[in-house]
Amino acid sequence: MTDPVLATDRLLLRDFEPGDYEAVHAYAADIEVVRFMSWGPNTEVDTRDFLERAAESAAARPRIGYELAVAHLQDGRLLGGIELSLAAEDSQQAMLVYCFSREAWGQGYATEAAEAMLMLGFDVLGLHRVWAGCDSQNTVSAHVLEKIGMSLEGCMREDVRVRGEWRDTLLFGILENEYKARLSEQPSRGPLRAVSYLCKHMRAGLYIILL
């Protein structure tokens, strides 16, 4: 499959580029942004290493990692990043991860980007299951995962150490049949349904999605 470039009504999801460094570092070095993350706040070296790893992942064939920059569709501002990472080429399961700058909070961008990634996963990559984890204290992220149709599957107690403190991780997941049932029940979701329709044609070489 050609490398994806996805667009929703407000967002463009694309591979990271070297020129994204300043915008990525601005949010990755923000202690408030990474408060619930096991990494960060980033040093300049950390951010450059991240962009190098993202480029290597994008160039890998077969590609099993889709770590995409999330930019504003109209003005190109980088708002954050989102990733769909397959355990292996033929696993049919993937992990969803995202991180957004503070200026992007509270505007529904994470939900919009995550729904587009589910469509990439299920409609294009043919996945069976997508899962995500979030800090048990990160109620905003948990709400995003619930909004995109994921169900709470369990809690891993004190499995991650974040800046010296052991934290619990909530596990969320959604199956392909649940995703399809949810999509069919919400015909009014015009922009994202259009993305879903176009995603299906990416197998035939269409990879730039504009609405």
PDB file of all heavy atoms in Angstrom, residues 4-38:
ATOM      1  N   PRO A   4       0.088   6.496   3.442  1.00  0.00           N
ATOM      2  CA  PRO A   4      -1.188   7.208   3.533  1.00  0.00           C
ATOM      3  C   PRO A   4      -1.044   8.698   3.785  1.00  0.00           C
ATOM      4  O   PRO A   4      -0.149   9.144   4.486  1.00  0.00           O
ATOM      5  CB  PRO A   4      -1.854   6.529   4.740  1.00  0.00           C
ATOM      6  CG  PRO A   4      -0.708   6.116   5.606  1.00  0.00           C
ATOM      7  CD  PRO A   4       0.387   5.710   4.648  1.00  0.00           C
ATOM      8  N   VAL A   5      -1.921   9.452   3.182  1.00  0.00           N
ATOM      9  CA  VAL A   5      -2.150  10.851   3.533  1.00  0.00           C
ATOM     10  C   VAL A   5      -3.655  10.955   3.711  1.00  0.00           C
ATOM     11  O   VAL A   5      -4.409  10.793   2.763  1.00  0.00           O
ATOM     12  CB  VAL A   5      -1.665  11.819   2.437  1.00  0.00           C
ATOM     13  CG1 VAL A   5      -1.975  13.258   2.849  1.00  0.00           C
ATOM     14  CG2 VAL A   5      -0.178  11.643   2.181  1.00  0.00           C
ATOM     15  N   LEU A   6      -4.095  11.174   4.930  1.00  0.00           N
ATOM     16  CA  LEU A   6      -5.514  11.163   5.231  1.00  0.00           C
ATOM     17  C   LEU A   6      -5.994  12.565   5.581  1.00  0.00           C
ATOM     18  O   LEU A   6      -5.289  13.322   6.247  1.00  0.00           O
ATOM     19  CB  LEU A   6      -5.802  10.230   6.414  1.00  0.00           C
ATOM     20  CG  LEU A   6      -5.231   8.813   6.339  1.00  0.00           C
ATOM     21  CD1 LEU A   6      -5.569   8.049   7.614  1.00  0.00           C
ATOM     22  CD2 LEU A   6      -5.758   8.088   5.127  1.00  0.00           C
ATOM     23  N   ALA A   7      -7.190  12.903   5.143  1.00  0.00           N
ATOM     24  CA  ALA A   7      -7.774  14.195   5.493  1.00  0.00           C
ATOM     25  C   ALA A   7      -9.187  13.999   6.003  1.00  0.00           C
ATOM     26  O   ALA A   7      -9.964  13.236   5.426  1.00  0.00           O
ATOM     27  CB  ALA A   7      -7.771  15.136   4.300  1.00  0.00           C
ATOM     28  N   THR A   8      -9.504  14.674   7.081  1.00  0.00           N
ATOM     29  CA  THR A   8     -10.874  14.741   7.580  1.00  0.00           C
ATOM     30  C   THR A   8     -11.390  16.144   7.248  1.00  0.00           C
ATOM     31  O   THR A   8     -10.797  16.846   6.429  1.00  0.00           O
ATOM     32  CB  THR A   8     -10.914  14.487   9.096  1.00  0.00           C
ATOM     33  OG1 THR A   8     -10.233  15.552   9.776  1.00  0.00           O
ATOM     34  CG2 THR A   8     -10.236  13.164   9.440  1.00  0.00           C
ATOM     35  N   ASP A   9     -12.464  16.560   7.880  1.00  0.00           N
ATOM     36  CA  ASP A   9     -12.976  17.899   7.558  1.00  0.00           C
ATOM     37  C   ASP A   9     -12.066  19.006   8.070  1.00  0.00           C
ATOM     38  O   ASP A   9     -12.050  20.103   7.532  1.00  0.00           O
ATOM     39  CB  ASP A   9     -14.407  18.079   8.086  1.00  0.00           C
ATOM     40  CG  ASP A   9     -14.516  17.871   9.578  1.00  0.00           C
ATOM     41  OD1 ASP A   9     -13.581  17.279  10.176  1.00  0.00           O
ATOM     42  OD2 ASP A   9     -15.534  18.295  10.169  1.00  0.00           O
ATOM     43  N   ARG A  10     -11.237  18.722   9.104  1.00  0.00           N
ATOM     44  CA  ARG A  10     -10.378  19.771   9.654  1.00  0.00           C
ATOM     45  C   ARG A  10      -8.897  19.417   9.676  1.00  0.00           C
ATOM     46  O   ARG A  10      -8.067  20.305   9.914  1.00  0.00           O
ATOM     47  CB  ARG A  10     -10.817  20.099  11.094  1.00  0.00           C
ATOM     48  CG  ARG A  10     -12.224  20.624  11.245  1.00  0.00           C
ATOM     49  CD  ARG A  10     -12.500  21.005  12.697  1.00  0.00           C
ATOM     50  NE  ARG A  10     -12.428  19.830  13.569  1.00  0.00           N
ATOM     51  CZ  ARG A  10     -12.426  19.891  14.905  1.00  0.00           C
ATOM     52  NH1 ARG A  10     -12.462  21.070  15.508  1.00  0.00           N
ATOM     53  NH2 ARG A  10     -12.377  18.777  15.629  1.00  0.00           N
ATOM     54  N   LEU A  11      -8.551  18.148   9.483  1.00  0.00           N
ATOM     55  CA  LEU A  11      -7.192  17.694   9.740  1.00  0.00           C
ATOM     56  C   LEU A  11      -6.559  17.009   8.542  1.00  0.00           C
ATOM     57  O   LEU A  11      -7.240  16.397   7.717  1.00  0.00           O
ATOM     58  CB  LEU A  11      -7.182  16.713  10.916  1.00  0.00           C
ATOM     59  CG  LEU A  11      -7.770  17.214  12.232  1.00  0.00           C
ATOM     60  CD1 LEU A  11      -7.818  16.076  13.248  1.00  0.00           C
ATOM     61  CD2 LEU A  11      -6.957  18.388  12.775  1.00  0.00           C
ATOM     62  N   LEU A  12      -5.238  17.103   8.468  1.00  0.00           N
ATOM     63  CA  LEU A  12      -4.440  16.354   7.508  1.00  0.00           C
ATOM     64  C   LEU A  12      -3.498  15.457   8.299  1.00  0.00           C
ATOM     65  O   LEU A  12      -2.749  15.928   9.150  1.00  0.00           O
ATOM     66  CB  LEU A  12      -3.628  17.297   6.622  1.00  0.00           C
ATOM     67  CG  LEU A  12      -2.766  16.632   5.549  1.00  0.00           C
ATOM     68  CD1 LEU A  12      -3.669  16.064   4.451  1.00  0.00           C
ATOM     69  CD2 LEU A  12      -1.774  17.633   4.961  1.00  0.00           C
ATOM     70  N   LEU A  13      -3.542  14.159   8.029  1.00  0.00           N
ATOM     71  CA  LEU A  13      -2.671  13.190   8.679  1.00  0.00           C
ATOM     72  C   LEU A  13      -1.669  12.697   7.646  1.00  0.00           C
ATOM     73  O   LEU A  13      -2.056  12.131   6.622  1.00  0.00           O
ATOM     74  CB  LEU A  13      -3.476  12.006   9.232  1.00  0.00           C
ATOM     75  CG  LEU A  13      -4.228  12.219  10.558  1.00  0.00           C
ATOM     76  CD1 LEU A  13      -5.332  13.259  10.411  1.00  0.00           C
ATOM     77  CD2 LEU A  13      -4.820  10.895  11.047  1.00  0.00           C
ATOM     78  N   ARG A  14      -0.392  12.915   7.921  1.00  0.00           N
ATOM     79  CA  ARG A  14       0.670  12.609   6.963  1.00  0.00           C
ATOM     80  C   ARG A  14       1.904  12.137   7.714  1.00  0.00           C
ATOM     81  O   ARG A  14       1.992  12.253   8.933  1.00  0.00           O
ATOM     82  CB  ARG A  14       1.021  13.861   6.158  1.00  0.00           C
ATOM     83  CG  ARG A  14       1.416  15.042   7.056  1.00  0.00           C
ATOM     84  CD  ARG A  14       2.105  16.147   6.309  1.00  0.00           C
ATOM     85  NE  ARG A  14       2.393  17.313   7.134  1.00  0.00           N
ATOM     86  CZ  ARG A  14       3.394  17.405   8.011  1.00  0.00           C
ATOM     87  NH1 ARG A  14       4.216  16.371   8.218  1.00  0.00           N
ATOM     88  NH2 ARG A  14       3.586  18.510   8.711  1.00  0.00           N
ATOM     89  N   ASP A  15       2.873  11.604   6.978  1.00  0.00           N
ATOM     90  CA  ASP A  15       4.132  11.230   7.607  1.00  0.00           C
ATOM     91  C   ASP A  15       4.851  12.470   8.137  1.00  0.00           C
ATOM     92  O   ASP A  15       4.743  13.564   7.571  1.00  0.00           O
ATOM     93  CB  ASP A  15       5.038  10.511   6.606  1.00  0.00           C
ATOM     94  CG  ASP A  15       4.616   9.074   6.368  1.00  0.00           C
ATOM     95  OD1 ASP A  15       4.174   8.413   7.319  1.00  0.00           O
ATOM     96  OD2 ASP A  15       4.740   8.601   5.217  1.00  0.00           O
ATOM     97  N   PHE A  16       5.602  12.278   9.215  1.00  0.00           N
ATOM     98  CA  PHE A  16       6.414  13.371   9.754  1.00  0.00           C
ATOM     99  C   PHE A  16       7.520  13.730   8.766  1.00  0.00           C
ATOM    100  O   PHE A  16       8.005  12.887   8.012  1.00  0.00           O
ATOM    101  CB  PHE A  16       7.045  12.960  11.093  1.00  0.00           C
ATOM    102  CG  PHE A  16       6.109  13.068  12.259  1.00  0.00           C
ATOM    103  CD1 PHE A  16       5.456  11.943  12.738  1.00  0.00           C
ATOM    104  CD2 PHE A  16       5.877  14.284  12.884  1.00  0.00           C
ATOM    105  CE1 PHE A  16       4.598  12.024  13.816  1.00  0.00           C
ATOM    106  CE2 PHE A  16       5.019  14.389  13.963  1.00  0.00           C
ATOM    107  CZ  PHE A  16       4.369  13.250  14.436  1.00  0.00           C
ATOM    108  N   GLU A  17       7.919  15.008   8.806  1.00  0.00           N
ATOM    109  CA  GLU A  17       8.967  15.521   7.938  1.00  0.00           C
ATOM    110  C   GLU A  17      10.037  16.206   8.803  1.00  0.00           C
ATOM    111  O   GLU A  17       9.742  16.636   9.925  1.00  0.00           O
ATOM    112  CB  GLU A  17       8.378  16.533   6.952  1.00  0.00           C
ATOM    113  CG  GLU A  17       7.257  15.964   6.090  1.00  0.00           C
ATOM    114  CD  GLU A  17       6.500  17.045   5.336  1.00  0.00           C
ATOM    115  OE1 GLU A  17       6.758  18.251   5.616  1.00  0.00           O
ATOM    116  OE2 GLU A  17       5.669  16.699   4.489  1.00  0.00           O
ATOM    117  N   PRO A  18      11.276  16.321   8.307  1.00  0.00           N
ATOM    118  CA  PRO A  18      12.322  16.994   9.088  1.00  0.00           C
ATOM    119  C   PRO A  18      11.934  18.402   9.521  1.00  0.00           C
ATOM    120  O   PRO A  18      12.296  18.859  10.609  1.00  0.00           O
ATOM    121  CB  PRO A  18      13.515  17.010   8.120  1.00  0.00           C
ATOM    122  CG  PRO A  18      13.298  15.826   7.243  1.00  0.00           C
ATOM    123  CD  PRO A  18      11.808  15.748   7.044  1.00  0.00           C
ATOM    124  N   GLY A  19      11.161  19.091   8.678  1.00  0.00           N
ATOM    125  CA  GLY A  19      10.754  20.456   9.004  1.00  0.00           C
ATOM    126  C   GLY A  19       9.752  20.552  10.137  1.00  0.00           C
ATOM    127  O   GLY A  19       9.430  21.663  10.581  1.00  0.00           O
ATOM    128  N   ASP A  20       9.282  19.419  10.639  1.00  0.00           N
ATOM    129  CA  ASP A  20       8.331  19.418  11.758  1.00  0.00           C
ATOM    130  C   ASP A  20       9.027  19.556  13.108  1.00  0.00           C
ATOM    131  O   ASP A  20       8.362  19.625  14.135  1.00  0.00           O
ATOM    132  CB  ASP A  20       7.512  18.113  11.768  1.00  0.00           C
ATOM    133  CG  ASP A  20       6.611  17.977  10.565  1.00  0.00           C
ATOM    134  OD1 ASP A  20       6.111  19.011  10.086  1.00  0.00           O
ATOM    135  OD2 ASP A  20       6.387  16.834  10.120  1.00  0.00           O
ATOM    136  N   TYR A  21      10.358  19.589  13.096  1.00  0.00           N
ATOM    137  CA  TYR A  21      11.110  19.520  14.355  1.00  0.00           C
ATOM    138  C   TYR A  21      10.643  20.537  15.395  1.00  0.00           C
ATOM    139  O   TYR A  21      10.346  20.176  16.534  1.00  0.00           O
ATOM    140  CB  TYR A  21      12.609  19.695  14.102  1.00  0.00           C
ATOM    141  CG  TYR A  21      13.368  19.904  15.385  1.00  0.00           C
ATOM    142  CD1 TYR A  21      13.664  18.834  16.224  1.00  0.00           C
ATOM    143  CD2 TYR A  21      13.723  21.188  15.796  1.00  0.00           C
ATOM    144  CE1 TYR A  21      14.316  19.031  17.427  1.00  0.00           C
ATOM    145  CE2 TYR A  21      14.380  21.392  16.992  1.00  0.00           C
ATOM    146  CZ  TYR A  21      14.674  20.316  17.810  1.00  0.00           C
ATOM    147  OH  TYR A  21      15.298  20.511  19.008  1.00  0.00           O
ATOM    148  N   GLU A  22      10.593  21.797  15.039  1.00  0.00           N
ATOM    149  CA  GLU A  22      10.273  22.833  16.033  1.00  0.00           C
ATOM    150  C   GLU A  22       8.893  22.635  16.635  1.00  0.00           C
ATOM    151  O   GLU A  22       8.711  22.765  17.850  1.00  0.00           O
ATOM    152  CB  GLU A  22      10.388  24.230  15.407  1.00  0.00           C
ATOM    153  CG  GLU A  22      11.815  24.644  15.101  1.00  0.00           C
ATOM    154  CD  GLU A  22      11.911  26.099  14.653  1.00  0.00           C
ATOM    155  OE1 GLU A  22      10.881  26.804  14.708  1.00  0.00           O
ATOM    156  OE2 GLU A  22      13.010  26.510  14.254  1.00  0.00           O
ATOM    157  N   ALA A  23       7.904  22.324  15.805  1.00  0.00           N
ATOM    158  CA  ALA A  23       6.545  22.138  16.306  1.00  0.00           C
ATOM    159  C   ALA A  23       6.452  20.895  17.182  1.00  0.00           C
ATOM    160  O   ALA A  23       5.785  20.910  18.225  1.00  0.00           O
ATOM    161  CB  ALA A  23       5.567  22.036  15.136  1.00  0.00           C
ATOM    162  N   VAL A  24       7.116  19.812  16.771  1.00  0.00           N
ATOM    163  CA  VAL A  24       7.098  18.592  17.576  1.00  0.00           C
ATOM    164  C   VAL A  24       7.785  18.833  18.914  1.00  0.00           C
ATOM    165  O   VAL A  24       7.272  18.448  19.971  1.00  0.00           O
ATOM    166  CB  VAL A  24       7.781  17.428  16.825  1.00  0.00           C
ATOM    167  CG1 VAL A  24       7.930  16.214  17.741  1.00  0.00           C
ATOM    168  CG2 VAL A  24       6.983  17.043  15.588  1.00  0.00           C
ATOM    169  N   HIS A  25       8.936  19.468  18.869  1.00  0.00           N
ATOM    170  CA  HIS A  25       9.669  19.695  20.114  1.00  0.00           C
ATOM    171  C   HIS A  25       8.899  20.608  21.066  1.00  0.00           C
ATOM    172  O   HIS A  25       8.974  20.439  22.290  1.00  0.00           O
ATOM    173  CB  HIS A  25      11.046  20.293  19.821  1.00  0.00           C
ATOM    174  CG  HIS A  25      11.930  20.332  21.033  1.00  0.00           C
ATOM    175  ND1 HIS A  25      12.358  19.201  21.693  1.00  0.00           N
ATOM    176  CD2 HIS A  25      12.452  21.392  21.722  1.00  0.00           C
ATOM    177  CE1 HIS A  25      13.100  19.535  22.724  1.00  0.00           C
ATOM    178  NE2 HIS A  25      13.173  20.868  22.762  1.00  0.00           N
ATOM    179  N   ALA A  26       8.150  21.551  20.520  1.00  0.00           N
ATOM    180  CA  ALA A  26       7.393  22.476  21.368  1.00  0.00           C
ATOM    181  C   ALA A  26       6.406  21.725  22.256  1.00  0.00           C
ATOM    182  O   ALA A  26       6.257  22.043  23.441  1.00  0.00           O
ATOM    183  CB  ALA A  26       6.661  23.493  20.499  1.00  0.00           C
ATOM    184  N   TYR A  27       5.708  20.700  21.699  1.00  0.00           N
ATOM    185  CA  TYR A  27       4.768  19.981  22.559  1.00  0.00           C
ATOM    186  C   TYR A  27       5.426  18.810  23.288  1.00  0.00           C
ATOM    187  O   TYR A  27       5.042  18.482  24.425  1.00  0.00           O
ATOM    188  CB  TYR A  27       3.524  19.534  21.791  1.00  0.00           C
ATOM    189  CG  TYR A  27       3.662  18.454  20.749  1.00  0.00           C
ATOM    190  CD1 TYR A  27       3.802  17.127  21.113  1.00  0.00           C
ATOM    191  CD2 TYR A  27       3.587  18.764  19.393  1.00  0.00           C
ATOM    192  CE1 TYR A  27       3.901  16.125  20.140  1.00  0.00           C
ATOM    193  CE2 TYR A  27       3.681  17.769  18.421  1.00  0.00           C
ATOM    194  CZ  TYR A  27       3.834  16.456  18.808  1.00  0.00           C
ATOM    195  OH  TYR A  27       3.918  15.477  17.849  1.00  0.00           O
ATOM    196  N   ALA A  28       6.435  18.183  22.690  1.00  0.00           N
ATOM    197  CA  ALA A  28       7.076  17.033  23.332  1.00  0.00           C
ATOM    198  C   ALA A  28       7.934  17.447  24.518  1.00  0.00           C
ATOM    199  O   ALA A  28       8.233  16.623  25.392  1.00  0.00           O
ATOM    200  CB  ALA A  28       7.926  16.271  22.317  1.00  0.00           C
ATOM    201  N   ALA A  29       8.324  18.710  24.572  1.00  0.00           N
ATOM    202  CA  ALA A  29       9.113  19.219  25.690  1.00  0.00           C
ATOM    203  C   ALA A  29       8.241  19.884  26.753  1.00  0.00           C
ATOM    204  O   ALA A  29       8.758  20.388  27.760  1.00  0.00           O
ATOM    205  CB  ALA A  29      10.156  20.213  25.183  1.00  0.00           C
ATOM    206  N   ASP A  30       6.941  19.891  26.545  1.00  0.00           N
ATOM    207  CA  ASP A  30       5.990  20.528  27.462  1.00  0.00           C
ATOM    208  C   ASP A  30       5.601  19.529  28.549  1.00  0.00           C
ATOM    209  O   ASP A  30       4.962  18.517  28.280  1.00  0.00           O
ATOM    210  CB  ASP A  30       4.754  20.972  26.678  1.00  0.00           C
ATOM    211  CG  ASP A  30       3.765  21.771  27.519  1.00  0.00           C
ATOM    212  OD1 ASP A  30       3.804  21.669  28.769  1.00  0.00           O
ATOM    213  OD2 ASP A  30       2.944  22.489  26.923  1.00  0.00           O
ATOM    214  N   ILE A  31       5.968  19.794  29.786  1.00  0.00           N
ATOM    215  CA  ILE A  31       5.721  18.863  30.891  1.00  0.00           C
ATOM    216  C   ILE A  31       4.245  18.590  31.084  1.00  0.00           C
ATOM    217  O   ILE A  31       3.843  17.487  31.465  1.00  0.00           O
ATOM    218  CB  ILE A  31       6.343  19.399  32.211  1.00  0.00           C
ATOM    219  CG1 ILE A  31       6.186  18.379  33.339  1.00  0.00           C
ATOM    220  CG2 ILE A  31       5.737  20.736  32.591  1.00  0.00           C
ATOM    221  CD1 ILE A  31       6.843  17.048  33.094  1.00  0.00           C
ATOM    222  N   GLU A  32       3.404  19.566  30.769  1.00  0.00           N
ATOM    223  CA  GLU A  32       1.961  19.362  30.925  1.00  0.00           C
ATOM    224  C   GLU A  32       1.439  18.393  29.862  1.00  0.00           C
ATOM    225  O   GLU A  32       0.571  17.568  30.141  1.00  0.00           O
ATOM    226  CB  GLU A  32       1.227  20.694  30.832  1.00  0.00           C
ATOM    227  CG  GLU A  32      -0.251  20.620  31.173  1.00  0.00           C
ATOM    228  CD  GLU A  32      -0.520  20.214  32.607  1.00  0.00           C
ATOM    229  OE1 GLU A  32       0.388  20.367  33.465  1.00  0.00           O
ATOM    230  OE2 GLU A  32      -1.636  19.715  32.901  1.00  0.00           O
ATOM    231  N   VAL A  33       1.985  18.472  28.663  1.00  0.00           N
ATOM    232  CA  VAL A  33       1.562  17.576  27.585  1.00  0.00           C
ATOM    233  C   VAL A  33       1.936  16.131  27.893  1.00  0.00           C
ATOM    234  O   VAL A  33       1.165  15.201  27.627  1.00  0.00           O
ATOM    235  CB  VAL A  33       2.178  18.015  26.238  1.00  0.00           C
ATOM    236  CG1 VAL A  33       1.982  16.948  25.169  1.00  0.00           C
ATOM    237  CG2 VAL A  33       1.562  19.332  25.782  1.00  0.00           C
ATOM    238  N   VAL A  34       3.116  15.918  28.462  1.00  0.00           N
ATOM    239  CA  VAL A  34       3.606  14.546  28.704  1.00  0.00           C
ATOM    240  C   VAL A  34       3.341  14.076  30.131  1.00  0.00           C
ATOM    241  O   VAL A  34       3.900  13.078  30.563  1.00  0.00           O
ATOM    242  CB  VAL A  34       5.114  14.442  28.377  1.00  0.00           C
ATOM    243  CG1 VAL A  34       5.367  14.853  26.943  1.00  0.00           C
ATOM    244  CG2 VAL A  34       5.953  15.288  29.333  1.00  0.00           C
ATOM    245  N   ARG A  35       2.456  14.764  30.829  1.00  0.00           N
ATOM    246  CA  ARG A  35       2.224  14.457  32.251  1.00  0.00           C
ATOM    247  C   ARG A  35       1.847  13.005  32.479  1.00  0.00           C
ATOM    248  O   ARG A  35       2.217  12.400  33.472  1.00  0.00           O
ATOM    249  CB  ARG A  35       1.117  15.375  32.786  1.00  0.00           C
ATOM    250  CG  ARG A  35       0.779  15.171  34.256  1.00  0.00           C
ATOM    251  CD  ARG A  35       0.105  16.406  34.809  1.00  0.00           C
ATOM    252  NE  ARG A  35      -1.105  16.745  34.097  1.00  0.00           N
ATOM    253  CZ  ARG A  35      -2.335  16.542  34.593  1.00  0.00           C
ATOM    254  NH1 ARG A  35      -2.487  15.996  35.786  1.00  0.00           N
ATOM    255  NH2 ARG A  35      -3.400  16.905  33.903  1.00  0.00           N
ATOM    256  N   PHE A  36       1.094  12.417  31.550  1.00  0.00           N
ATOM    257  CA  PHE A  36       0.658  11.031  31.706  1.00  0.00           C
ATOM    258  C   PHE A  36       1.465  10.059  30.852  1.00  0.00           C
ATOM    259  O   PHE A  36       1.105   8.883  30.751  1.00  0.00           O
ATOM    260  CB  PHE A  36      -0.825  10.911  31.353  1.00  0.00           C
ATOM    261  CG  PHE A  36      -1.729  11.705  32.249  1.00  0.00           C
ATOM    262  CD1 PHE A  36      -2.440  12.794  31.758  1.00  0.00           C
ATOM    263  CD2 PHE A  36      -1.877  11.377  33.585  1.00  0.00           C
ATOM    264  CE1 PHE A  36      -3.286  13.528  32.582  1.00  0.00           C
ATOM    265  CE2 PHE A  36      -2.708  12.106  34.420  1.00  0.00           C
ATOM    266  CZ  PHE A  36      -3.420  13.185  33.923  1.00  0.00           C
ATOM    267  N   MET A  37       2.535  10.538  30.236  1.00  0.00           N
ATOM    268  CA  MET A  37       3.346   9.697  29.361  1.00  0.00           C
ATOM    269  C   MET A  37       4.533   9.112  30.122  1.00  0.00           C
ATOM    270  O   MET A  37       5.047   9.712  31.053  1.00  0.00           O
ATOM    271  CB  MET A  37       3.870  10.512  28.167  1.00  0.00           C
ATOM    272  CG  MET A  37       2.802  11.259  27.396  1.00  0.00           C
ATOM    273  SD  MET A  37       1.655  10.137  26.568  1.00  0.00           S
ATOM    274  CE  MET A  37       0.722  11.305  25.555  1.00  0.00           C
ATOM    275  N   SER A  38       5.006   7.952  29.652  1.00  0.00           N
ATOM    276  CA  SER A  38       6.189   7.342  30.261  1.00  0.00           C
ATOM    277  C   SER A  38       7.471   7.950  29.707  1.00  0.00           C
ATOM    278  O   SER A  38       8.559   7.667  30.203  1.00  0.00           O
ATOM    279  CB  SER A  38       6.194   5.827  30.009  1.00  0.00           C
ATOM    280  OG  SER A  38       6.185   5.545  28.629  1.00  0.00           O
TER     281      SER A  38
END
